Amino acid sequence: MWGRVRGIGSKVISGWRAKERAGRTGRPHNLFEAAAAYVSACAEDDQDRIDEAAGWVSPEALSFGVNELACRAVVALARERDESPGTVARALLGLPAA
C-alpha cells in the first residue's frame, strides 16, 4: 500500500517540476547578468527594470554581483586613466583626493 502512495506522490512531484520547467522562458539568469541589469537600471532610474533584475537572484547574490561589477569598473577606469583605483573610486564618489 505504501509503495503505491509513494509512487503516486513521486508522479505528482514530477508533474509539478515538468510544469515549472515548461513555464520558464529560456535559461535562468546568473548573478552577473542580474548585477549588470540592476546597475544599468539604477543608472537610468528605471524602477520596473530594477525590480525585475532584483528578482532574478537572491539579495546576497545580487550584492556580490554588484560589488564585483563595481570593482571591475573601477579597475578598468583606473587603467584607462592611468591612475590608481583608489583615486578613481574617490573621484567617482565626489570625494577629495586623499
Side-chain angles (χ1 to χ4, degrees):
M1 178 176 147
W2 292 112
R4 285 182 60 196
V5 172
R6 270 188 248 126
I8 292 169
S10 66
K11 287 180 183 177
V12 170
I13 298 291
S14 296
W16 285 341
R17 288 182 181 153
K19 285 180 186 175
E20 186 178 299
R21 276 185 243 116
R24 290 183 187 162
T25 55
R27 64 178 178 75
H29 299 280
N30 70 38
L31 66 102
F32 297 114
E33 290 172 324
Y38 181 84
V39 169
S40 64
C42 287
E44 296 170 0
D45 198 27
D46 186 340
Q47 190 61 48
D48 291 336
R49 285 182 40 224
I50 291 169
D51 295 339
E52 179 184 357
W56 291 349
V57 294
S58 71
E60 295 83 10
L62 183 60
S63 177
F64 175 80
V66 169
N67 182 58
E68 187 65 24
L69 178 60
C71 290
R72 292 180 187 194
V74 167
V75 168
L77 279 173
R79 287 180 183 155
E80 185 179 293
R81 296 178 181 182
D82 197 29
E83 296 177 351
S84 75
T87 302
V88 171
R90 294 183 70 81
L92 287 172
L93 293 171
L95 299 171

